[in-house]
Amino acid sequence: MVAFLFPLTLALSGFPWAFAANIQKSGLRLPRDAKTHRDEVIQIFTKSYETYKKYAWGHDDVQPISQTWNDHLNGWGATIVDVLTTAHVMGLNDYVNEAINYVGTIDYQIAHNDGSVSLFETTIRHLGGLLSSYELTGKKHKVLLDKAVEIADKLAYGWVNGSDVPYGHLLFTRDAPSVPEDLTQTSNIAEAGTLIIEWGSLSRFTGNTTYNALAEKSFRRIMNNPAPLPGFAAQGISPATGDPVGGYVSWGGGSDSYFEYLVKHTRLTNTDDKSYIDAWHAAVDSTISTLLRRSTVGNWLYAADMDSQKRIRHVGSHLACFYGGNFIMGGKMLNNKTIVDIGLDLNEACWNTYAGSTSGIGPEGFAYISTDGNFTGSDISPEQIEFYGQHGFYSTSSYYILRPEVLESNFYAWRTTGNTKYLDRAAQAIQSFNKWLPASNFAANATGYGGLNDVLDPTGGGPVDDTESFWFAETLKYLYLIFDDPEHINLDHYVFNTEAHPFKAPPAKPSYGSGHPVPPNQGPFRVNHGDPLPAVSPAPKVPASTPEPTPQ
């Protein structure tokens, strides 16, 4: 048995250390060089976007080395929509106006690739970007709201025959799920549980409560289902029945943003319904008692996965590294210092994957060894053991596709503590990005930025020839805001969706939740078998030989 790493009684109850459940530390002051770093981020942003405009305008992503484009998100110009809120935050009004004009030309009735549309990706990028921009620009551009209604009305066909849980992918040509005729398909709780901020905001802005009702019934079904650990939902879920599939639990991709939205929906709406934040508190408590592990080298703190056979898997991921910021935000809302401190500690381990990599950029997936072993579901090589002995982690997927999560948690850590080490780390990230990610590293006439095949290789292992839209929406926004006036997009005034599109929040309540980790009234859990889970955030230009993790 693994001993508890923190006093469980502190995790179980609130710790009254504030008069209100504010998240951001008051009186933050920036050092003199903050403007220099802020301008460096703007330069990266503009170079990246000008490359997109030159070679990929109107398409989803630019491929900066081959100087072409791809439409892996249905060809509606995902980058343009994801750029909107970051350009607004940076004060780049010409980009904002140009993008708004483009949005008016999008035809959301037609999907321009194979016709299969991701409900999750379209919600967080398009619906989130349109609605956040509508609000940030003073609700003056009705075309943004009109287009949000247009895309939501198509996505609503994901709910079939009054089902609680939507199907993850749709065929717009048939206004139906892109699944077999018997409607067998497994979704995951991130796909089905990361809708309430966007669909709820659409209801607030239009007065049509149907949108919120659809998202809320999926959210609540996940929350109320029997769970492998108290409050901690299984990753897989069946849209046909609404029941869990398998018993895999994780803070990583496929689960991550469901837990994120339990906290953020509570804060954005100031709902009096305590069940959401209480369910999150219960999941955190289960994490403390069952999943937290420290590495035998470096004493780094990680939250492990647990599979259907209840085996601890000593794995982590760039996607999971959002959890540092999530614990910080939720702990602040609960006035629970223990949870905040765990979040800060989780963030330290995630930053170590950057600090320990040759490029100064963290890998997509990693693993570690704890006192209870090193089981991951895969073998560990002598080279990985040697690397682990030096750094306290080893890479399992070494590519980097411009993900934001480590810098996202670093942003929350800065805004809540005021510790300038987080500014130093952000400055180091800028240096690493400018050294390793320019497309000109791989083709003399190329411009813009792309990913790396191997962040541990002294050469970078070659390029990932793609600039994901979340590079603009998330990574560069969080990096910019770390060096921006802390009162601009103050964490007590705004809540970010999982694509970092900010929504205005009401003043904080004195506290949230019951003060105890109260899981929903869940029945006994049993493992239900079903179709394989969908791929987690597949990267369009990562070599096919790069394996995606397969939860069991």
Side-chain angles (χ1 to χ4, degrees), residues 28 52 60 67 165 170 174 183 185 246 249 256 285 337 345 362 380 409 418 423 426 435 492 546:
L28 289 174
Y52 168 82
D60 290 328
Q67 298 180 345
V165 175
L170 296 90
R174 294 195 291 111
L183 296 179
Q185 183 191 62
V249 297
D256 45 8
D285 191 63
K337 186 175 184 298
D345 221 358
I380 181 171
S409 289
L423 299 175
K435 179 179 179 180
D492 293 317
T546 302

Side-chain angles (χ1 to χ4, degrees), residues 355-548:
S357 295
T358 304
S359 62
I361 302 169
E364 176 76 1
F366 54 89
Y368 49 89
I369 301 170
S370 187
T371 55
D372 63 335
N374 65 347
F375 178 73
T376 65
S378 301
D379 294 333
I380 181 171
S381 70
E383 292 78 15
Q384 289 172 319
I385 291 174
E386 181 181 3
F387 188 92
Y388 172 79
Q390 298 172 3
H391 301 287
F393 76 97
Y394 62 91
S395 175
T396 55
S397 296
S398 295
Y399 61 87
Y400 175 68
I401 57 169
L402 312 180
R403 289 206 191 277
E405 292 80 15
V406 174
L407 291 171
E408 174 186 355
S409 289
N410 191 66
F411 166 68
Y412 279 89
W414 154 244
R415 286 286 187 93
T416 55
T417 69
N419 190 324
T420 57
K421 72 178 181 182
Y422 302 114
L423 299 175
D424 296 338
R425 290 173 179 178
Q428 292 166 22
I430 293 172
Q431 290 182 346
S432 296
F433 288 171
N434 276 327
K435 179 179 179 180
W436 292 90
L437 302 183
S440 58
N441 288 350
F442 305 101
N445 64 338
T447 59
Y449 291 73
L452 286 180
N453 275 331
D454 190 343
V455 297
L456 305 181
D457 190 289
T459 68
V464 175
D465 187 17
D466 187 55
T467 308
E468 281 271 9
S469 71
F470 53 65
W471 171 247
F472 300 96
E474 299 184 73
T475 309
L476 296 181
K477 184 185 281 108
Y478 286 126
L479 197 51
Y480 176 86
L481 286 173
I482 288 170
F483 296 108
D484 195 24
D485 179 358
E487 293 306 309
H488 186 210
I489 315 295
N490 185 309
L491 286 175
D492 293 317
H493 302 158
Y494 288 88
V495 170
F496 294 94
N497 87 329
T498 197
E499 192 78 1
H501 296 304
F503 289 85
K504 292 182 180 178
K509 297 167 69 173
S511 63
Y512 294 85
S514 302
H516 300 277
V518 182
N521 292 321
Q522 302 165 321
F525 178 78
R526 64 184 179 88
V527 174
N528 300 311
H529 298 288
D531 290 348
L533 272 63
V536 174
S537 192
K541 293 300 168 183
V542 171
S545 60
T546 302
E548 293 286 347

Side-chain angles (χ1 to χ4, degrees), residues 68-150:
T68 186
W69 48 265
N70 69 70
D71 278 338
H72 72 108
L73 293 167
N74 306 103
W76 295 313
T79 289
I80 298 172
V81 178
D82 259 352
V83 154
L84 264 166
T85 59
T86 305
H88 178 86
V89 166
M90 291 179 173
L92 302 175
N93 294 326
D94 288 347
Y95 285 159
V96 173
N97 294 330
E98 181 182 48
I100 291 173
N101 289 335
Y102 171 79
V103 165
T105 71
I106 299 175
D107 183 358
Y108 281 120
Q109 302 297 315
I110 301 172
H112 298 287
N113 53 14
D114 63 0
S116 181
V117 178
S118 167
L119 174 60
F120 166 73
E121 296 288 358
T122 308
T123 290
I124 66 172
R125 303 194 202 207
H126 285 271
L127 196 55
L130 293 169
L131 293 172
S132 173
S133 299
Y134 175 67
E135 185 175 50
L136 288 173
T137 56
K139 300 181 180 179
K140 294 182 295 185
H141 301 283
K142 190 171 180 291
V143 65
L144 298 171
L145 183 61
D146 290 343
K147 288 297 177 179
V149 169
E150 181 182 331

Side-chain angles (χ1 to χ4, degrees), residues 62-398:
V62 66
Q63 295 173 213
I65 296 169
S66 54
Q67 298 180 345
T68 186
W69 48 265
N70 69 70
D71 278 338
H72 72 108
L73 293 167
N74 306 103
W76 295 313
T79 289
I80 298 172
V81 178
D82 259 352
V83 154
L84 264 166
T85 59
T86 305
H88 178 86
V89 166
M90 291 179 173
L92 302 175
N93 294 326
D94 288 347
Y95 285 159
V96 173
N97 294 330
E98 181 182 48
I100 291 173
N101 289 335
Y102 171 79
V103 165
T105 71
I106 299 175
D107 183 358
Y108 281 120
Q109 302 297 315
I110 301 172
H112 298 287
N113 53 14
D114 63 0
S116 181
V117 178
S118 167
L119 174 60
F120 166 73
E121 296 288 358
T122 308
T123 290
I124 66 172
R125 303 194 202 207
H126 285 271
L127 196 55
L130 293 169
L131 293 172
S132 173
S133 299
Y134 175 67
E135 185 175 50
L136 288 173
T137 56
K139 300 181 180 179
K140 294 182 295 185
H141 301 283
K142 190 171 180 291
V143 65
L144 298 171
L145 183 61
D146 290 343
K147 288 297 177 179
V149 169
E150 181 182 331
I151 188 61
D153 286 349
K154 293 289 284 186
L155 294 174
Y157 287 101
W159 283 266
V160 176
N161 299 327
S163 62
D164 290 342
V165 175
Y167 286 86
H169 291 80
L170 296 90
L171 288 175
F172 272 22
T173 53
R174 294 195 291 111
D175 288 335
S178 55
V179 296
E181 290 185 6
D182 61 2
L183 296 179
T184 56
Q185 183 191 62
T186 298
S187 185
N188 61 50
I189 61 173
E191 286 187 349
T194 310
L195 308 170
I196 191 68
I197 287 178
E198 298 83 2
W199 291 67
S201 295
L202 184 58
S203 282
R204 285 191 293 114
F205 295 158
T206 63
N208 185 341
T209 60
T210 299
Y211 302 115
N212 183 77
L214 287 171
E216 187 173 31
K217 68 176 180 177
S218 182
F219 205 37
R220 296 192 74 90
R221 178 60 184 261
I222 297 168
M223 185 175 69
N224 290 322
N225 270 341
L229 296 173
F232 208 121
Q235 187 172 90
I237 192 166
S238 167
T241 66
D243 295 332
V245 175
Y248 199 93
V249 297
S250 174
W251 284 92
S255 300
D256 45 8
S257 46
Y258 160 70
F259 297 108
E260 178 184 357
Y261 275 29
L262 288 172
V263 171
K264 289 184 172 180
H265 170 63
T266 300
R267 180 62 189 88
L268 180 62
T269 62
N270 271 355
T271 176
D272 291 328
D273 185 344
K274 298 177 181 179
S275 62
Y276 301 106
I277 193 71
D278 283 350
W280 179 85
H281 195 176
V284 166
D285 191 63
S286 289
T287 301
I288 293 170
S289 64
T290 307
L291 302 179
L292 286 187
R293 294 293 186 277
R294 286 197 178 273
S295 61
T296 56
V297 173
N299 202 37
W300 303 107
L301 183 68
Y302 302 101
D305 291 3
M306 187 182 77
D307 64 23
S308 297
Q309 290 76 45
K310 295 197 175 292
R311 297 173 297 186
I312 293 296
R313 296 199 176 207
H314 301 76
V315 296
S317 67
H318 205 293
L319 284 166
C321 281
F322 91 98
Y323 55 24
N326 184 245
F327 273 53
I328 292 168
M329 180 178 180
K332 282 283 193 177
M333 289 171 57
L334 294 174
N335 290 324
N336 189 311
K337 186 175 184 298
T338 297
I339 295 176
V340 173
D341 288 345
I342 293 172
L344 293 170
D345 221 358
L346 291 168
N347 182 57
E348 291 297 302
C350 285
W351 179 256
N352 180 56
T353 67
Y354 273 54
S357 295
T358 304
S359 62
I361 302 169
E364 176 76 1
F366 54 89
Y368 49 89
I369 301 170
S370 187
T371 55
D372 63 335
N374 65 347
F375 178 73
T376 65
S378 301
D379 294 333
I380 181 171
S381 70
E383 292 78 15
Q384 289 172 319
I385 291 174
E386 181 181 3
F387 188 92
Y388 172 79
Q390 298 172 3
H391 301 287
F393 76 97
Y394 62 91
S395 175
T396 55
S397 296
S398 295

